[in-house]
């Protein structure tokens, strides 16, 4: 073994002092991995981690797919387990203790010593739709890991005043088993035991899929995943907007005031099937024409509800604000027998109605159902309206929303003077948005108070390979989350 000899000119007392002090000095320097302290810099923006590394990790995770030439990563698929290994390695790199629960959710947690405060949970989902973009879900997971990594390399992780945990939820999209929020609903304790018997298209049940991958898959195991409300103080989720509002406002981030409630209907219109060339127009009972009229009526009802909902007729309580964000969609239309030379005998179509105000949504549903019957009677066809799904709106916690708003303002203002892509944004009020899409925060709201931060995406496009978030907007999201943690979870020196 080689010995490093001190120069003979160095006094022995000084050498002893150097040897005794050096370890303590080294221990006080935050571990920075591949980043020198000068890189992490005095500007407090941490671009190397919050932008450069985060973007690289988004691209890496976006390549982990079950599909050839497109991104597909569904619940308990082979790609999901490859992604799990990668996410765990990133969590460990941030100084977190990691584990995978009985529903395949990945957890990374830092537990301060002697802390009795409730935990802050930060998360999003690791699964994707078919032919997905690489930001949906993954952005929230990786931004959270990156923010905690900055705390580690700057020595602030040890100063956390409460437990902070990042969760990568195993299933939010519901692609495989056609039921959403398997991961977050299990953590929130609202996943019914009956979910274990739900089957995918191949006939494999959730229980069988879990057991094939060495999970226990029992009611008791689901109980182990559940968090107690007494242990959790709040949940925060970063997510791309999946809409065009932030881009139109030329602002990188927005806070979410709530997630819209949703009702799904199936409308069945029965008429008289017949020959396209021999049945006179005046004698037809054509369900296709009736369905077309109903679709256009629905559009008018949701574009200009005041034309249909009068102040006295409904509830006398609708305001412009309560009607804002109302959206209605017909996404699927099926005809029978679906032949070009046959008047259809039956037409079915789906209706998706969303609004932030549950009373507005319920009134629109009731009004449309009444209009369906009126129009069908007029056209001498038979109609039925089936209710398939209903979920109440989820308001975000006002205090968390205000905190995220301040953190966003701080982050965007800090970036703007340096010419980092947000010039002028510092003078604009942080947008407050409603989410028309469902998110894990909806399930987590059954466990604790929730807050959400939206990130601008190009063209408002999502659930598509064209989905894109600018690198500087990724950076802004990570910095806003870091500022939020600094302000509300890190002890001052």
């Amino acid at each position: 073994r080689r010995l490093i000899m001190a120069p003979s000119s160095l006094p022995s007392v000084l050498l002893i002092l150097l040897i005794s002090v050096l370890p303590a000095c080294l221990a006080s320097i935050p571990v920075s991995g591949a980043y020198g302290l000068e890189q992490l810099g005095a500007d407090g923006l941490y671009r190397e981690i919050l932008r450069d590394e985060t973007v690289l990790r988004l691209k890496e995770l976006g390549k982990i797919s079950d599909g050839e030439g497109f991104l597909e990563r569904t619940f308990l698929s082979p790609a999901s387990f490859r992604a799990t290994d990668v996410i765990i390695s990133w969590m460990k790199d941030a100084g977190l203790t990691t584990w995978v629960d009985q529903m395949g959710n990945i957890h990374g947690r830092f537990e301060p010593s002697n802390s009795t405060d409730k935990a802050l949970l930060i998360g999003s989902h690791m699964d994707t739709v078919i032919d997905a973009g690489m930001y949906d879900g993954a952005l929230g997971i990786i931004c959270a890991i990156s923010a905690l990594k900055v705390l580690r390399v700057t020595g602030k992780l040890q100063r956390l005043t409460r437990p902070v945990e990042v969760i990568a939820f195993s299933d939010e999209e519901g692609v495989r088993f056609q039921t959403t929020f398997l991961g977050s609903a299990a953590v929130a304790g609202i996943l019914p035991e009956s979910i274990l018997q739900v089957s995918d298209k191949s006939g494999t049940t959730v229980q069988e899929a879990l057991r094939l991958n060495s999970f226990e898959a029992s009611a008791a195991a689901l109980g182990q995943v559940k968090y107690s409300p007494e242990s959790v103080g709040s949940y925060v989720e970063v997510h791309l907007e999946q809409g065009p509002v932030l881009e139109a406002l030329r602002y990188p981030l927005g806070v979410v005031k709530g997630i819209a409630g949703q009702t799904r209907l199936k409308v069945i219109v029965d008429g008289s099937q017949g020959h396209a060339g021999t049945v006179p127009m005046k004698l037809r009972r054509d369900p296709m024409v009736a369905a077309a009229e109903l679709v256009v009526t629905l559009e008018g009802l949701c574009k200009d509800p005041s034309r249909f909902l009068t102040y006295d007729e409904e509830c006398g309580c609708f305001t412009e604000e309560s009607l804002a964000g109302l959206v209605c969609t017909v996404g699927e239309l099926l005809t029978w027998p679906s032949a070009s030379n046959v008047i259809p005998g039956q037409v079915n179509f789906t209706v998706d109605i969303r609004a932030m105000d549950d009373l507005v949504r319920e009134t629109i549903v009731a009004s449309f159902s009444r209009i369906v019957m009126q129009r069908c009677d007029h056209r001498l066809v038979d109609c039925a309206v089936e209710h398939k799904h209903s979920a109440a709106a989820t308001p975000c916690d006002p205090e968390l929303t205000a905190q995220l708003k301040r953190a966003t303002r701080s982050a965007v203002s800090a970036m703007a003077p340096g010419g980092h892509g947000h010039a002028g944004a510092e003078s604009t009020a942080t947008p407050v948005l409603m989410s028309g899409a469902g998110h894990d925060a909806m399930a987590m709201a059954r466990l604790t108070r929730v807050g959400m931060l939206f990130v601008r995406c190009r063209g408002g496009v999502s659930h598509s390979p064209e989905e894109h978030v600018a690198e500087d907007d990724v950076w802004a999201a990570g910095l806003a989350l870091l500022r939020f943690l600094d302000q509300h979870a890190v002890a001052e020196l």
Side-chain angles (χ1 to χ4, degrees), residues 26-62:
L26 291 173
S28 69
I29 299 175
V31 179
S32 60
Y35 305 98
L37 293 178
E38 73 284 350
Q39 285 181 291
L40 291 173
D43 63 0
L45 300 181
Y46 309 105
R47 180 170 72 176
E48 292 77 14
I49 296 175
L50 297 179
R51 190 188 76 171
D52 300 347
E53 184 174 72
T54 300
V55 169
L56 286 174
R57 287 177 170 181
L58 282 164
K59 291 177 180 178
E60 182 179 348
L61 195 59

Side-chain angles (χ1 to χ4, degrees), residues 134-263:
M134 68 180 186
Y135 299 91
D136 185 2
L139 178 66
I141 297 167
I142 300 174
C143 277
I145 293 171
S146 296
L148 285 167
K149 180 172 180 176
V150 171
L151 294 185
R152 181 184 72 82
V153 300
T154 56
K156 292 183 179 180
L157 199 61
Q158 301 294 333
R159 286 164 43 200
L160 284 174
T161 57
R162 55 175 166 161
V164 176
E165 182 174 323
V166 180
I167 307 179
F169 294 114
S170 57
D171 177 272
E172 184 256 16
E173 300 288 2
V175 171
R176 180 173 180 183
F177 289 97
Q178 297 297 297
T179 180
T180 57
F181 307 133
L182 286 178
S184 51
V187 171
I190 59 172
L191 195 66
E193 182 182 345
S194 59
I195 202 72
L196 293 172
Q197 303 310 317
V198 172
S199 300
D200 63 14
K201 291 179 181 178
S202 72
T204 302
T205 65
V206 172
Q207 185 173 57
E208 290 166 343
L210 286 165
R211 286 180 175 169
L212 284 169
N213 290 286
S214 302
F215 294 104
E216 187 177 327
S218 65
L222 288 182
Q224 294 170 15
V225 179
K226 176 183 176 181
Y227 279 40
S228 70
E230 294 76 22
S231 68
V232 180
S234 53
Y235 170 79
V236 170
E237 182 168 355
V238 175
H239 205 282
L240 81 160
E241 182 196 352
Q242 298 181 293
V245 176
L246 289 174
E247 187 174 56
L249 294 173
R250 302 177 63 85
Y251 206 85
L253 306 174
V255 294
V256 180
K257 67 179 179 181
I259 303 170
Q262 180 185 26
T263 297

Side-chain angles (χ1 to χ4, degrees), residues 212-477:
L212 284 169
N213 290 286
S214 302
F215 294 104
E216 187 177 327
S218 65
L222 288 182
Q224 294 170 15
V225 179
K226 176 183 176 181
Y227 279 40
S228 70
E230 294 76 22
S231 68
V232 180
S234 53
Y235 170 79
V236 170
E237 182 168 355
V238 175
H239 205 282
L240 81 160
E241 182 196 352
Q242 298 181 293
V245 176
L246 289 174
E247 187 174 56
L249 294 173
R250 302 177 63 85
Y251 206 85
L253 306 174
V255 294
V256 180
K257 67 179 179 181
I259 303 170
Q262 180 185 26
T263 297
R264 292 180 185 174
L265 308 173
K266 180 180 179 181
V267 180
I268 304 168
V269 186
D270 285 304
S272 294
Q273 188 172 320
H275 196 292
T278 61
V279 181
M281 295 299 292
K282 290 184 178 180
L283 298 180
R284 295 187 179 195
R285 296 176 60 243
D286 190 338
M288 178 65 83
V289 179
E293 181 179 351
L294 292 174
V295 171
V296 174
T297 299
L298 177 68
E299 181 191 36
L301 176 61
C302 295
K303 270 188 174 180
D304 189 10
S306 60
R307 287 177 50 212
F308 298 85
L309 310 179
T310 64
Y311 185 89
D312 295 326
E313 178 188 356
E314 300 303 336
C315 71
C317 59
F318 296 133
T319 64
E320 186 175 343
E321 182 182 359
S322 69
L323 292 171
L326 170 65
V327 290
C328 304
T329 304
V330 173
E332 184 178 5
L333 190 147
L334 303 174
T335 69
W336 178 261
S338 193
S340 62
N341 62 344
V342 178
I343 302 166
Q346 185 182 85
V347 176
N348 300 335
F349 62 92
T350 61
V351 175
D352 183 305
I353 300 174
R354 305 188 190 207
M356 194 61 233
D357 188 312
D358 284 332
L359 185 56
V360 166
R361 175 174 51 83
E362 291 163 3
T363 304
I364 291 292
V365 170
S367 298
F368 178 67
S369 299
R370 185 179 65 249
I371 291 170
V372 167
M373 298 308 168
Q374 292 172 348
R375 300 293 169 85
C376 288
D377 284 346
H378 176 72
R379 288 191 169 273
L380 302 177
V381 293
D382 299 318
C383 290
V385 179
E386 297 180 355
H387 288 244
K388 293 296 185 181
H389 170 76
S390 185
T394 302
C396 291
D397 179 74
E399 182 183 6
L400 272 178
T401 301
Q403 291 170 351
L404 287 168
K405 195 173 183 179
R406 286 194 294 271
T408 295
R409 174 85 172 180
S410 173
V412 174
S413 296
M415 292 177 67
H420 298 298
H422 301 311
E426 75 279 5
S427 62
T428 304
T430 301
V432 179
L433 309 177
M434 184 197 78
S435 174
H439 299 286
D440 287 301
M442 293 186 78
M444 295 299 286
R446 304 284 292 275
L447 172 69
T448 187
R449 59 196 188 117
V450 300
M452 285 196 73
L453 185 67
F454 270 174
V455 187
R456 174 172 56 187
C457 57
R458 185 174 62 199
V461 175
S462 184
H463 284 190
S464 162
E466 298 302 312
E467 181 180 281
H468 179 75
V469 177
E471 292 186 3
D472 281 350
D473 290 357
V474 171
W475 184 11

Side-chain angles (χ1 to χ4, degrees), residues 99-116:
W99 71 96
V100 178
D101 68 28
Q102 289 292 320
M103 278 300 289
N105 300 312
I106 312 165
H107 302 252
R109 184 178 176 105
F110 185 83
E111 192 90 37
S113 57
N114 303 319
S115 173
T116 58

Side-chain angles (χ1 to χ4, degrees), residues 123-142:
S124 198
H125 58 97
M126 62 178 286
D127 67 318
T128 74
V129 296
I130 298 171
D131 199 21
M134 68 180 186
Y135 299 91
D136 185 2
L139 178 66
I141 297 167
I142 300 174

